[in-house]
């Protein structure tokens, strides 16, 4: 009896393994290139790189260029792929923890480093913002790591939102803190929507292992205020940290670009209004050289309508104003993940799927190339298929790969 029971148990176990293995095989994503429209050569000097983590140790990647398509299984994962990619690969030993986006990274010819996630420590009466900075001297190879507090005026009794950005200029590491908090938590004495916006600049003192405040602005936001800080999408070009000021008039989507000048330690703004068709949060942002590109997308039956704005930061003017484009929807549902404007072409990476049920979705990863002048579609390619796990795709110039 026990022998028969053992055989039955063994049979059930083997069946379960076979079924599980089959299910895992079926759920594996597929990697094949489908040239849907146009010529692959339209990619020009741009490469599409996609990497996907499969389990703890397995990483698969895809490289698509004008000259070919290559799939690699079980390769070493790149932490990120963007302007920092070469620095990452040459200095992997300091990038072993979680990095919370490129806003937390800095580099120059002498060092590379990052700050870890910023932690709110609530006390009385202020909030202490703390993080750890990790830095590698590229000349000596020496790595330093220490905890710092980020100077701020946040109050523990106030609701608040904030974002951090780190950069390096002229040998100094700067931490930028942008955000808002309630100007008064007492609901009986003030309006709920009275806020205080702030931008605070700190420099890291590596000798004393601390961050010191060097400049800041505070704006009280109420019914009489004309502007407020948009704190969630700052960026850095040369010696300037840019952020948006939103005009409080709810009837228009108008903004100014403000900035902190690291060289002269001052705040200023570009005196040219940016009038958008939609609210800023509906646009994806890309900075290419000295140009800021904003792209929105709207579903329109079987196509997707796009709107592009380009601001030339060297002259402070909008040079592409609400340019309209249209692309074919590649499935019932389609999401634009990222874009870049390079050499008069708009490169778009999208994800398309049919089912509205998240457990039944069969995704495809797609690249779309548009001609900026003629507004025509030059190329549509599908570079991956299958279930969605953790994967990231990047648009890279060939010299960035």
């Amino acid at each position: 009896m026990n022998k028969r029971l053992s055989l039955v148990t063994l049979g059930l176990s083997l069946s379960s393994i076979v079924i599980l293995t089959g299910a895992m095989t079926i759920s594996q994503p597929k990697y094949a290139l489908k040239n849907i429209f146009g010529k692959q050569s339209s990619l020009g000097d741009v490469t599409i790189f996609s990497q996907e983590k499969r389990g703890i140790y397995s990483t698969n990647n895809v490289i698509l260029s004008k000259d070919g398509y290559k799939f690699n299984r079980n390769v070493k994962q790149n932490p990120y792929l963007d302007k920092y990619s070469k620095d990452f690969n040459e200095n992997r030993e300091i990038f072993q923890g979680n990095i919370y986006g490129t806003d937390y990274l800095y580099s120059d010819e002498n060092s590379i480093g990052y700050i870890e996630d910023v932690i709110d420590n609530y006390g009385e009466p202020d909030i202490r913002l703390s993080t750890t900075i990790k830095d590698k001297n590229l000349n000596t190879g020496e790595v330093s790591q220490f905890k710092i507090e980020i100077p701020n005026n946040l109050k523990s009794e106030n609701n608040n939102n904030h974002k951090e950005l780190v950069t390096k200029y002229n040998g100094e590491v700067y931490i930028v803190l942008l955000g808002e908090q309630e100007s008064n938590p007492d609901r009986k004495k003030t309006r709920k929507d009275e806020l205080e916006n702030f931008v605070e600049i700190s420099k890291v003192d590596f000798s004393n292992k601390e961050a010191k405040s060097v400049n800041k602005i505070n704006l009280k936001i109420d019914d009489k205020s004309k502007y407020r800080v948009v704190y969630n999408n700052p960026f850095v070009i040369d010696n300037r940290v840019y952020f948006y000021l939103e005009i409080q008039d709810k009837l228009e989507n108008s903004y100014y670009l403000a900035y902190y000048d690291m060289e002269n330690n001052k705040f200023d703004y570009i005196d040219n209004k940016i009038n958008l068709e939609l609210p800023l949060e509906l646009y994806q942002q890309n900075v290419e050289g000295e140009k800021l590109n904003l792209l929105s997308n709207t579903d329109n039956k079987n196509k997707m309508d796009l709107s592009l704005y380009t601001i030339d930061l060297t002259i402070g003017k909008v040079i592409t104003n609400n340019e309209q484009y249209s692309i074919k929807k590649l499935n019932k549902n389609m999401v634009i993940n990222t874009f870049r404007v390079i050499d008069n072409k708009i490169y778009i990476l999208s994800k398309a799927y049919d089912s509205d049920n998240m457990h039944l979705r069969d995704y495809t990863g797609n690249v779309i190339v548009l001609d900026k002048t003629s507004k025509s579609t030059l190329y549509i390619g599908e570079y991956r298929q299958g279930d969605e796990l953790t994967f990231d795709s990047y648009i890279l110039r060939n010299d960035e790969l």
Side-chain angles (χ1 to χ4, degrees):
M1 185 70 178
N2 290 337
K3 184 176 180 181
R4 181 182 298 176
L5 182 59
S6 299
L7 289 173
V8 171
T9 303
L10 178 61
L12 290 173
S13 299
L14 290 173
S15 299
S16 299
I17 292 172
V18 170
I19 293 171
L20 181 60
T21 303
M24 290 176 65
T25 302
I26 293 172
S27 68
Q28 289 291 317
K30 299 177 284 293
Y31 300 92
L33 175 63
K34 295 181 181 179
N35 291 314
I36 297 173
F37 177 84
K39 295 182 179 180
Q40 191 174 333
S41 60
S42 297
L43 286 167
D45 294 327
V46 164
T47 294
I48 307 305
F49 186 99
S50 179
Q51 66 177 1
E52 177 178 25
K53 191 159 183 147
R54 307 289 301 183
I56 299 175
Y57 303 106
S58 174
T59 301
N60 301 333
N61 69 33
V62 166
I63 301 174
L64 170 62
S65 69
K66 66 178 181 180
D67 300 316
Y69 175 86
K70 188 175 182 181
F71 166 61
N72 302 298
R73 188 184 297 277
N74 298 335
V75 294
K76 183 181 288 187
Q77 185 182 29
N78 291 282
Y80 279 94
L81 282 171
D82 54 19
K83 66 180 181 180
Y84 291 102
S85 58
K86 290 182 179 179
D87 294 330
F88 268 129
N89 290 328
E90 293 172 0
N91 302 280
R92 285 178 177 270
E93 73 276 11
I94 73 165
F95 297 109
Q96 297 177 359
N98 289 327
I99 301 167
Y100 296 86
T102 54
D103 285 346
Y104 280 34
L105 289 159
Y106 63 86
S107 73
D108 63 9
E109 65 276 9
N110 295 314
S111 75
I112 184 170
Y114 65 97
I115 61 172
E116 295 181 352
D117 192 25
V118 176
I119 299 175
D120 298 13
N121 301 290
Y122 285 81
E124 292 294 341
D126 300 329
I127 296 175
R128 292 170 52 245
L129 300 181
S130 63
T131 186
T132 296
I133 188 167
K134 196 168 186 179
D135 179 273
K136 179 182 177 181
N137 186 311
L138 297 177
N139 300 313
T140 65
E142 181 183 359
V143 175
S144 59
Q145 178 177 330
F146 52 90
K147 290 185 177 181
I148 54 174
E149 290 188 15
I150 301 176
N152 68 91
N153 291 319
L154 295 171
K155 304 299 180 184
S156 59
E157 69 269 20
N158 295 353
N159 292 325
N160 69 82
N161 295 290
H162 54 83
K163 178 176 177 59
E164 301 77 31
L165 177 148
V166 64
T167 189
K168 191 173 185 182
Y169 175 73
N170 198 25
E172 303 274 8
V173 175
Y174 291 81
I175 297 176
V176 182
L177 180 68
L178 305 96
E180 67 179 18
Q181 67 176 336
E182 295 172 339
S183 58
N184 191 332
D186 190 342
R187 297 290 187 265
K188 295 180 180 179
K189 296 181 180 180
T190 186
R191 290 168 51 87
K192 292 183 180 181
D193 56 355
E194 284 188 359
L195 300 170
E196 178 187 9
N197 284 186
F198 59 88
V199 182
E200 184 154 7
I201 313 295
S202 307
K203 275 200 294 190
V204 178
D205 183 340
F206 282 83
S207 298
N208 296 313
K209 298 183 178 180
E210 62 180 345
K212 297 180 179 179
S213 179
V214 293
N215 210 332
K216 62 182 176 181
I217 57 173
N218 292 82
L219 297 174
K220 184 178 180 181
I221 310 300
D222 54 25
D223 291 338
K224 298 179 181 179
S225 303
K226 189 173 182 180
Y227 309 106
R228 66 181 299 169
V229 173
V230 181
Y231 64 88
N232 57 356
N233 49 1
F235 59 94
V236 179
I237 296 181
D238 298 328
N239 65 311
R240 294 180 175 184
V241 180
Y242 288 90
F243 55 95
Y244 296 89
L245 292 177
E246 178 182 10
I247 295 179
Q248 285 284 86
D249 186 350
K250 301 301 182 183
L251 299 178
E252 56 179 315
N253 300 304
S254 297
Y255 304 85
Y256 284 99
L257 271 173
Y259 59 87
Y260 169 69
D261 182 338
M262 290 178 280
E263 182 177 4
N264 298 298
N265 188 27
K266 68 174 185 177
F267 288 96
D268 207 337
Y269 74 101
I270 296 174
D271 192 16
N272 277 289
K273 188 161 59 173
I274 303 170
N275 294 310
L276 298 179
E277 181 184 21
L278 302 169
L280 180 63
E281 60 265 24
L282 298 179
Y283 289 81
Q284 293 196 47
Q285 174 176 286
N286 165 256
V287 178
E288 206 69 44
E290 297 288 338
K291 292 183 173 63
L292 167 66
N293 299 297
L294 300 171
L295 183 73
S296 69
N297 60 274
T298 307
D299 276 0
N300 186 0
K301 296 182 180 179
N302 294 324
K303 64 178 182 176
M304 184 173 282
D305 294 331
L306 308 175
S307 174
L308 176 69
Y309 291 81
T310 301
I311 297 93
D312 188 330
L313 298 171
T314 59
I315 59 176
K317 292 184 178 180
V318 178
I319 58 174
T320 302
N321 189 16
N322 196 23
E323 285 282 354
Q324 299 294 308
Y325 300 83
S326 181
I327 57 177
K328 176 184 176 182
K329 285 184 67 175
L330 301 178
N331 211 326
K332 177 183 175 182
N333 301 291
M334 184 172 167
V335 177
I336 292 180
N337 295 89
T338 188
F339 82 101
R340 286 181 74 173
V341 180
I342 301 174
D343 298 333
N344 207 43
K345 294 178 182 178
I346 305 173
Y347 294 84
I348 295 170
L349 295 186
S350 70
K351 186 187 300 178
Y353 54 96
D354 181 53
S355 175
D356 292 326
N357 186 332
M358 65 178 296
H359 301 294
L360 299 175
R361 291 176 183 174
D362 198 23
Y363 291 85
T364 60
N366 310 282
V367 56
I368 301 164
V369 184
L370 302 175
D371 184 278
K372 194 172 181 296
T373 303
S374 67
K375 301 184 180 181
S376 60
T377 300
L378 300 176
Y379 176 66
I380 301 175
E382 181 183 300
Y383 58 88
R384 71 175 304 280
Q385 306 83 24
D387 64 335
E388 184 197 27
L389 290 177
T390 303
F391 80 95
D392 298 295
S393 297
Y394 305 86
I395 304 164
L396 300 171
R397 294 177 183 267
N398 291 345
D399 59 1
E400 294 171 339
L401 186 61

